[in-house]
């Protein structure tokens, strides 16, 4: 598996290929904890937030919300304790970047969290890691111990008055806990159901206190923003999408892996055919899901010869979005009906059951998919799927319902043939159209 | 006249049914204490403690283990079940010593997850969702484990096995049988 930067100097992936890259010595020997030193030596919390705002850093977990703005929402005058929670519940199908950041450069995450905690006045902070990533929790625990022994964690950090603790926490196998309010419920020891917003976590989050929840990749960008300055970081990317982005590339490419690209990398086609080594076996590209399973699928025709720019604006213009950067490549052997059914089963399994549109809707979607697969498709089944989706999208309690809807909408729109073929092969229309789903 | 409970009244005292409560070694108790010390609220430690109880009680939360958690965290038995049944990694029934969890989500699917599952079924004689009669192996199909660049893959306990082929699956199963591989539970 490839891991490295294309089209820019490696920033987040600067150390990942070094021997013993997870150790404090290697981290410090390669510029580590210099940003924390600079912050503690003379920057106010507001200075730090201002730099992050200038950097145009946007949340890397999937939603793409501007990080500096999120930090700015935390009320300064609140007498309650504040929390920084790192969202390491990486579960979006196709996404595995955070895993390698934590495995190979855990101190970068610790430094990013310390700076965030300083900026927001948080004393106690948590890294919520998905339960399956147990080995990463062990790596993080070792790194935290190292940092504590070196005076980088705990009381009087680097000899200043800054006190800060970071603890690891484990999830236990629930995709929904990647949604920030569900994550907070889970961290409080409850079922991982999302909460009503507002109030947003910045005002009332963990234990009802002001809380910022940021993705691993977001927090690990912070040390470099401080070191090079927000403006310089932004200039690595585009005006509205600052810096670099990690793309987790999987599926039918010769060189899958984690790629760091500058935001605004100019051509998705070149990225697939050259940087990722192209589609194996000389087969043709059929489709790409560029940002994790929850974004619109892109047919090859929307990529080839279209100079699709890889940043938030460029991908929206091309009919999809950056999401989490989980870049799934599918060649001509893939049936889009099958792939969409696969993702729908995922959402049905991961729907938390809290709200009716998502719980019942995803269940019905899977039933219809299975019926079509059994050969009992009916002529209007594509429309039936769209009707069910219409009752989920925008009507569910949290974005999981939307995430389940978009793959189906875009797949039916972009690949009607794959659906038509399945349905046409079926005999459902001969059964009087009884709702046997 | 029977006693009435108005909606706002406190719940009746839990019935005093004698129940068995799990007992753990001082080392395990200390491990739990380390988790509890992380949080201002005891209940926050529910998942880390569940993993420990599960590990110590033969791979799943049995009723004495649940009773222990309720006592330890100062919550009701139902609170423990409520959480336990939500999370797919918390087992409420026994599982095999080696729990083979094959990822079935899209990237793994198009890279051959089906073959991995079939090979497991062929070698073990069980389908996904089943456990071998000797209690040695369980087989499950699970959703994305974040190993898409090294697909297809499976997890045994907490350990990842990636870039799988049918041959690799065979080797892994042989090593499980001979006890060469750890069962990944920790």
């Amino acid at each position: 598996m490839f891991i490295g930067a294309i089209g820019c100097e490696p920033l987040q992936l600067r150390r990942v290929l070094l021997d013993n890259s997870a150790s404090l010595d290697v981290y410090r020997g390669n510029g580590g904890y210099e940003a924390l030193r600079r912050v503690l030596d003379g920057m106010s919390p507001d200075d730090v937030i201002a730099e992050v705002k200038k950097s145009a850093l946007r949340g890397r977990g999937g939603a793409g919300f501007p990080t500096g703005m999120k930090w700015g929402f935390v009320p300064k005058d609140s007498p309650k304790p504040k929390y920084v929670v790192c969202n390491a519940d990486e579960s979006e199908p196709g996404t595995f970047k955070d895993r390698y950041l934590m495995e190979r450069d855990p101190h970068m995450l610790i430094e990013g969290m310390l700076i965030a905690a300083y900026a927001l006045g948080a004393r106690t902070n948590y890294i919520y890691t998905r339960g399956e990533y147990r080995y990463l929790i062990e790596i993080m625990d070792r790194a935290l111990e190292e940092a504590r022994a070196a005076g980088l964690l705990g009381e009087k950090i680097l000899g200043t008055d800054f006190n800060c603790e970071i603890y690891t926490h484990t999830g236990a196998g629930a995709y929904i806990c990647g949604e920030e309010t569900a994550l907070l419920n889970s961290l409080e020891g409850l079922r991982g159901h999302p909460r009503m917003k507002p109030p947003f976590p910045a005002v009332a989050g963990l234990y009802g206190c002001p809380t910022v929840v940021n993705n691993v990749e977001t927090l690990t960008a912070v040390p470099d923003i401080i070191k090079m300055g927000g403006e310089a970081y932004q200039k690595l990317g585009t005006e509205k999408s600052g810096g670099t982005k990690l793309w987790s590339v999987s599926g039918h490419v010769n060189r899958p892996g984690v790629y760091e690209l500058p935001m605004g990398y100019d051509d998705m086609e070149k990225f697939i055919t050259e940087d990722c080594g192209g589609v194996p076996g000389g087969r043709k590209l059929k489709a790409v899901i560029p940002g994790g399973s929850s974004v619109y699928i892109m047919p090859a025709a929307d990529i080839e010869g279209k100079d699709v720019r890889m940043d938030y604006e460029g991908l929206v213009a091309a009919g999809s979005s950056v999401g989490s950067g989980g870049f799934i490549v599918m060649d001509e052997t893939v049936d889009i009906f099958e792939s969409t059914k696969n993702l729908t089963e995922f959402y049905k399994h991961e729907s938390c059951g809290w709200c009716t549109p998502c719980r019942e809707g995803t269940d019905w979607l899977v039933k219809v998919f299975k019926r079509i697969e059994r050969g009992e498709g009916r002529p209007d089944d594509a429309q039936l799927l769209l009707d069910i989706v219409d009752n989920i999208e925008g009507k569910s309690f949290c974005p999981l319902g939307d995430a389940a809807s978009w793959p189906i909408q875009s797949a039916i729109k972009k690949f009607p043939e794959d659906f038509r073929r399945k349905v046409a092969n079926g005999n459902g229309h001969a059964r009087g159209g009884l709702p046997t789903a | 006249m029977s006693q009435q409970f108005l909606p706002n009244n406190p719940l009746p005292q839990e019935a005093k049914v004698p129940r068995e409560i799990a007992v753990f070694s001082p080392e395990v108790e200390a491990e739990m204490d380390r988790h509890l010390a992380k949080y201002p609220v005891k209940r926050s430690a529910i998942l880390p403690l569940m993993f420990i109880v599960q590990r110590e009680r033969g791979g799943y939360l049995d009723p004495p283990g649940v009773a222990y958690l309720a006592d330890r965290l100062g919550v009701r038995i139902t609170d423990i079940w409520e959480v336990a049944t939500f999370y797919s990694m918390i087992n409420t029934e026994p599982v095999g010593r080696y729990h083979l969890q094959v990822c079935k989500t899209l990237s793994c699917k198009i890279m051959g997850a089906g073959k991995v599952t079939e090979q497991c079924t062929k070698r073990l004689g069980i389908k996904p969702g089943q456990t071998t009669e000797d209690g040695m192996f369980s087989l499950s199909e699970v959703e994305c484990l974040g190993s898409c660049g090294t697909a297809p893959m499976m997890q045994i306990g907490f350990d990842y096995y990636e870039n799988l082929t049918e041959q690799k699956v065979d080797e892994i199963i042989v090593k499980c049988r001979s006890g060469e591989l750890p069962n990944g539970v920790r």
Side-chain angles (χ1 to χ4, degrees), chain A residues 18 24 67 82 114 134 165 168 176 201 205 241 270 277 280 406-407 435:
Chain A
L18 300 176
L24 180 60
T67 306
K82 299 174 187 73
L114 286 170
R134 173 66 62 92
E165 272 302 339
T168 54
I176 188 62
S241 312
K270 187 175 82 184
W406 295 334

Side-chain angles (χ1 to χ4, degrees), chain A residues 304-363:
Chain A
E304 289 164 349
K306 293 287 163 67
D307 292 339
V308 175
R309 215 178 68 213
M310 292 172 72
D311 61 15
Y312 292 99
E313 295 75 32
L315 275 173
V316 168
S320 191
S321 57
V322 169
S324 64
F327 198 91
I328 307 172
V329 181
M330 291 176 273
D331 70 18
E332 57 189 333
T333 62
V334 176
D335 180 316
I336 301 301
F337 170 87
E338 298 281 339
S339 72
T340 312
K341 170 174 172 273
N342 180 280
L343 291 181
T344 306
E345 285 170 348
F346 170 83
Y347 290 109
K348 174 197 179 297
H349 184 261
E350 299 298 344
S351 175
C352 77
W354 180 248
C355 74
T356 313
C358 177
R359 181 188 64 236
E360 302 300 317
T362 52
D363 193 48

Side-chain angles (χ1 to χ4, degrees), chain A residues 34-102:
Chain A
E34 284 172 13
L36 179 67
R37 166 62 73 187
R38 186 173 308 176
V39 164
L40 296 182
D41 274 356
M43 289 176 79
S44 71
D46 283 341
D47 293 341
V48 175
I49 295 177
E51 283 307 318
V52 174
K53 279 185 177 163
K54 272 192 251 170
S55 74
L57 173 66
R58 293 170 61 163
R60 301 288 195 239
F65 192 82
T67 306
M69 200 188 285
K70 199 176 200 179
W71 290 13
F73 290 152
V74 173
K76 293 199 172 47
D77 49 2
S78 169
K80 293 177 179 173
K82 299 174 187 73
Y83 295 98
V84 172
V85 177
C86 172
N87 183 346
D89 192 57
E90 182 170 66
S91 324
E92 177 80 3
T95 315
F96 47 96
K97 62 192 172 65
D98 296 343
R99 183 179 156 199
Y100 290 98
L101 288 173
M102 292 167 78

Side-chain angles (χ1 to χ4, degrees), chain A residues 209-405:
Chain A
C209 302
T211 304
V212 160
V213 184
N214 280 146
N215 177 254
V216 174
E217 191 191 344
T218 313
L219 287 165
T220 53
V222 172
D224 280 313
I225 290 171
I226 297 299
K227 267 200 288 190
M228 64 169 59
E231 219 164 297
Y233 179 86
Q234 176 264 312
K235 290 214 165 81
L236 294 173
T238 60
E239 191 190 335
K240 285 185 184 154
S241 312
T244 61
K245 167 89 191 93
L246 300 184
W247 298 84
S248 318
V249 181
S250 65
H252 294 140
V253 287
N254 280 313
R255 212 161 49 139
V258 180
Y259 289 76
E260 181 170 19
L261 303 181
M263 277 289 185
Y265 186 80
D266 57 356
D267 185 4
M268 188 188 283
E269 186 183 2
K270 187 175 82 184
F271 178 60
I272 298 167
T273 54
E274 293 176 22
D275 304 330
C276 300
V279 176
R283 292 189 296 272
K284 278 195 205 131
L285 177 70
K286 181 163 185 177
V288 170
I289 300 174
S293 61
S294 305
V295 306
Y296 290 142
I297 189 169
M298 298 173 75
D302 286 1
I303 300 166
E304 289 164 349
K306 293 287 163 67
D307 292 339
V308 175
R309 215 178 68 213
M310 292 172 72
D311 61 15
Y312 292 99
E313 295 75 32
L315 275 173
V316 168
S320 191
S321 57
V322 169
S324 64
F327 198 91
I328 307 172
V329 181
M330 291 176 273
D331 70 18
E332 57 189 333
T333 62
V334 176
D335 180 316
I336 301 301
F337 170 87
E338 298 281 339
S339 72
T340 312
K341 170 174 172 273
N342 180 280
L343 291 181
T344 306
E345 285 170 348
F346 170 83
Y347 290 109
K348 174 197 179 297
H349 184 261
E350 299 298 344
S351 175
C352 77
W354 180 248
C355 74
T356 313
C358 177
R359 181 188 64 236
E360 302 300 317
T362 52
D363 193 48
W364 275 104
L365 288 170
V366 168
K367 280 177 178 159
V368 174
F369 270 109
K370 284 193 168 159
R371 177 169 56 72
I372 298 173
E373 193 173 52
R374 282 201 306 270
E376 295 169 24
R378 301 177 203 138
D380 56 352
D381 270 341
Q383 189 54 47
L384 176 61
L385 287 171
L386 291 174
D387 286 348
I388 300 173
V389 158
D390 184 50
N391 282 306
I392 304 173
E393 189 197 9
K395 299 173 179 75
S396 58
F397 196 79
C398 84
L400 194 144
D402 298 338
S405 305

Side-chain angles (χ1 to χ4, degrees), chain B residues 65-87:
Chain B
V66 169
Y68 172 87
L69 282 169
D71 272 12
R72 189 78 145 96
L73 296 170
V75 298
R76 288 173 295 190
I77 298 265
T78 49
D79 295 325
I80 301 296
W81 284 120
E82 177 188 74
V83 171
T85 51
F86 184 82
Y87 295 93

Side-chain angles (χ1 to χ4, degrees), chain B residues 7 30 36 38 48 69 98 130 143 159 164 170 173 177:
Chain B
L36 282 160
K38 295 176 181 178
L69 282 169
Y98 291 94
Q130 296 179 336
E143 299 292 353
D159 295 331
L164 291 178
D170 285 352
I173 289 174
R177 285 218 166 98

